[in-house]
Amino acid sequence: MGKLKTPKQMERHLKGVSNHYRIEILLLIDKEKDITLDGIVQKLKANEKTIGEHTRRLSNAGLINKEYQGNFVLHSLSPYGQKCLPNTTNLHRFFF
């Protein structure tokens, strides 16, 4: 069995997904590996500064990884971010 998270760590992770944009970003990154910030902005049709702030918070929460390549930043799910995403089939059953 894995090591249990402290209450402070759990709070950080939960706050990381406590916004609809952040949830959409996580789902998008799961679908499109190594997507850039511009790619996320285009797919979600949202403001670049807004999406940049949300990806920063997701990164701080340990849910996504950022890989800097020249002028681009590639986003991918961290191992913890992968665990946090529910199986979409189960998610669909839960809400519908």
Side-chain angles (χ1 to χ4, degrees):
M1 188 160 143
K3 182 180 170 189
L4 292 176
K5 301 285 183 190
T6 67
K8 194 74 170 167
Q9 288 172 317
M10 291 172 70
E11 176 188 27
R12 186 176 50 140
H13 295 305
L14 290 171
K15 282 184 178 180
V17 294
S18 65
N19 178 280
H20 69 95
Y21 272 129
R22 288 185 282 239
I23 294 168
E24 285 182 89
I25 291 167
L26 285 173
L27 292 170
L28 181 60
I29 292 172
D30 184 45
K31 227 168 80 172
E32 298 190 28
K33 312 292 186 245
D34 296 327
I35 189 168
T36 63
L37 180 65
D38 191 50
I40 297 170
V41 168
Q42 288 178 6
K43 293 281 185 176
L44 299 184
K45 296 178 176 64
N47 180 286
E48 186 173 354
K49 287 186 178 185
T50 301
I51 298 302
E53 176 63 19
H54 287 301
T55 58
R56 183 187 69 77
R57 290 181 184 210
L58 287 167
S59 179
N60 288 346
L63 297 169
I64 65 171
N65 296 319
K66 292 184 172 191
E67 182 182 335
Y68 296 87
Q69 290 192 351
N71 293 333
F72 299 99
V73 180
L74 304 178
H75 298 82
S76 61
L77 290 178
S78 69
Y80 188 74
Q82 292 171 0
K83 287 181 187 177
C84 287
L85 277 182
N87 177 312
T88 53
T89 304
N90 292 338
L91 184 65
H92 190 308
R93 279 190 219 133
F94 179 76
F95 284 111
F96 301 102

